Amino acid sequence: MKVDDLEIKIFDTRQEMGLNAANMVADKIRELQQTKDSVNIIFASAPSQNEFLAALKEEKGITWEKINAFHMDEYVGLPDDAPQNFGNFLKVKLFDFVPLKSVNYLNGNAENIEAECDRYALLLEENPIDIVCLGIGENGHLAFNDPHVAFFDDPLIVKQVDLDQACRQQQVNDACFDTFDEVPQMALTLTIPTLMKAKWAFAMVPGEKKAQAIYHTVAEEIQEEYPSTILRKHPNAILFIDKASSGKLKEISSYSQA
């Protein structure tokens, strides 16, 4: 299935989805490492990435010592050791298992948040991103670019944002927090243009709760109200979904089969 420039791959289960996504990402890493001294990758932090990350760390032939790792967002104000912190999530899911060249964490507890955004922006400018591995939120967000702060022409590279109600509720739906009030109201995020500058984009989005967001991604006009629709303009983007998250696509009669 292909919509505009976005290739879509549908699998029966999220396990199959994760394995196939990991294999394709690993293939791209291995290809890049034949000609590049280092490969720069942004990773997403969410339960939707579990199967992909578990499979990626088992892939053979990746020279992890030549990979600079980044993550795309972080809560503001959680304790440094909180398991919900996205840096900690990636640490226990992937970073602790592979000998990366560098791991670059966003600090949501920095004394000066604006300076922290500038620091991380400089790192991204110094290390142009080759690959972004991302998800799509229930509200269609990419990273923490919820619809009200998702600017396709955002002049910033990294910024502080307030999280909308749907975004915060998703963190409870995903069992990351017990209650809505526990979810932080603020976060740091890489902006839409920053994510879109990656040469290759791989989006892993399983689960029934994401079916509406996948429908919007495919069916709506490309617009900031549905941030994930911008993926349809990326020249090298692949969306990996499972049977559950693809459930509403049968309602679309105009998509092309590829």
Side-chain angles (χ1 to χ4, degrees), residues 213-232:
I214 293 298
Y215 175 85
H216 288 152
T217 301
V218 172
E220 297 291 345
E221 291 185 15
I222 297 172
Q223 57 183 297
E224 293 167 343
E225 185 178 350
Y226 302 99
S228 57
T229 57
I230 196 65
L231 292 172
R232 288 161 36 203

Side-chain angles (χ1 to χ4, degrees), residues 67-102:
I67 294 176
N68 297 308
F70 299 84
H71 58 118
M72 59 180 56
D73 45 14
E74 186 59 273
Y75 292 114
V76 169
L78 280 183
D80 289 335
D81 60 353
Q84 297 96 335
N85 271 332
F86 290 153
N88 292 338
F89 175 93
L90 285 167
K91 190 172 185 292
V92 301
K93 295 290 184 180
L94 179 65
F95 297 165
D96 276 351
F97 295 91
V98 291
L100 291 155
K101 180 178 181 179
S102 73

Side-chain angles (χ1 to χ4, degrees), residues 42-73:
I42 299 171
F43 292 96
S45 311
S48 63
Q49 306 299 299
N50 283 343
E51 292 79 12
F52 160 69
L53 293 172
L56 184 64
K57 69 173 185 267
E58 302 299 331
E59 283 283 340
K60 307 300 182 187
I62 295 175
T63 306
W64 291 99
E65 295 89 346
K66 294 184 177 182
I67 294 176
N68 297 308
F70 299 84
H71 58 118
M72 59 180 56
D73 45 14

Side-chain angles (χ1 to χ4, degrees), residues 5-52:
D5 291 332
L6 179 63
E7 185 177 351
I8 302 171
K9 295 183 177 294
I10 305 173
F11 300 91
D12 284 338
T13 68
R14 57 191 296 153
Q15 286 74 24
E16 287 181 61
M17 181 214 71
L19 282 169
N20 280 273
N23 185 250
M24 290 196 69
V25 171
D27 280 347
K28 181 54 65 178
I29 295 171
R30 289 185 285 257
E31 175 191 322
L32 290 170
Q33 288 186 330
Q34 293 179 18
T35 58
K36 289 173 64 72
D37 291 334
S38 61
V39 175
N40 304 313
I41 306 177
I42 299 171
F43 292 96
S45 311
S48 63
Q49 306 299 299
N50 283 343
E51 292 79 12
F52 160 69

Side-chain angles (χ1 to χ4, degrees), residues 133-150:
C133 302
L134 65 156
I136 295 172
E138 291 178 23
N139 65 355
H141 72 202
L142 301 180
F144 270 141
N145 295 284
D146 292 339
H148 72 291
V149 292

